[in-house]
Amino acid sequence: MNKLEAINMFEYMRELIKTEDARILFILGVICIAMAIDFLSGTIAAKINPTIEFKSKAGIDGILRKITSVILLVFFIPISVLVPNNIGTALLYTLYVGYLIMELQSILENYKKMGGDDSVFQRFMDSFKKDDE
């Protein structure tokens, strides 16, 4: 990929999220991608780490939980419209960003289970935690 293609990709992304509705759907799409990465990294970690027992039931349960989560995240889109003064949109953003942070944390845990050094990423994730934890 040359520099011009990279610039066009970022311009495309900026065009894609120009409206509030598009930004919400974009974040939802990023959450879905993070869920897929989380599931795949968890499966790989279970396969390559001898201390983790690979169970298909655990994988199926994980998939079902993620599907249920996506259904609930989509369900809250029309609910957010009912809350006046764009407060619903702000609450939806908060819910989505919080869920995305949880997915990123899970991906980092899987990375660590695979033997990776997550210290650089963990400092970033720790910045989202409360000081009293």
Side-chain angles (χ1 to χ4, degrees):
M1 177 182 301
N2 64 33
K3 186 177 179 180
L4 183 59
E5 289 172 341
I7 291 171
N8 287 337
M9 181 178 68
F10 285 110
E11 287 176 13
Y12 173 75
M13 297 293 244
R14 284 186 197 98
E15 286 292 320
L16 189 65
I17 61 170
K18 274 195 170 182
T19 67
E20 196 76 35
D21 300 340
R23 278 191 290 274
I24 288 172
L25 293 176
F26 182 81
I27 295 171
L28 185 60
V30 171
I31 290 171
C32 290
I33 291 168
M35 286 179 165
I37 293 170
D38 180 36
F39 176 76
L40 290 173
S41 64
T43 303
I44 293 168
K47 283 287 196 183
I48 66 173
N49 189 329
T51 63
I52 301 173
E53 183 180 349
F54 182 79
K55 296 179 185 177
S56 61
K57 183 182 180 331
I60 292 169
D61 289 347
I63 291 171
L64 292 175
R65 276 194 308 273
K66 290 189 183 302
I67 290 171
T68 303
S69 295
V70 170
I71 290 169
L72 285 172
L73 291 171
V74 170
F75 170 75
F76 283 110
I77 293 173
I79 299 299
S80 70
V81 176
L82 298 175
V83 181
N85 299 330
N86 285 334
I87 295 171
T89 303
L91 292 172
L92 195 62
Y93 273 124
T94 304
L95 174 68
Y96 282 12
V97 170
Y99 200 89
L100 183 59
I101 290 169
M102 289 185 341
E103 284 296 324
L104 292 173
Q105 183 67 38
S106 182
I107 292 168
L108 287 177
E109 289 170 5
N110 292 335
Y111 179 66
K112 190 173 185 176
K113 289 175 186 174
M114 287 186 262
D117 178 22
D118 70 338
S119 59
V120 172
F121 304 112
Q122 196 58 52
R123 282 190 301 243
F124 171 74
M125 294 305 293
D126 288 345
S127 68
F128 294 104
K129 292 183 180 178
K130 291 182 181 177
D131 291 334
D132 59 347
E133 286 184 15

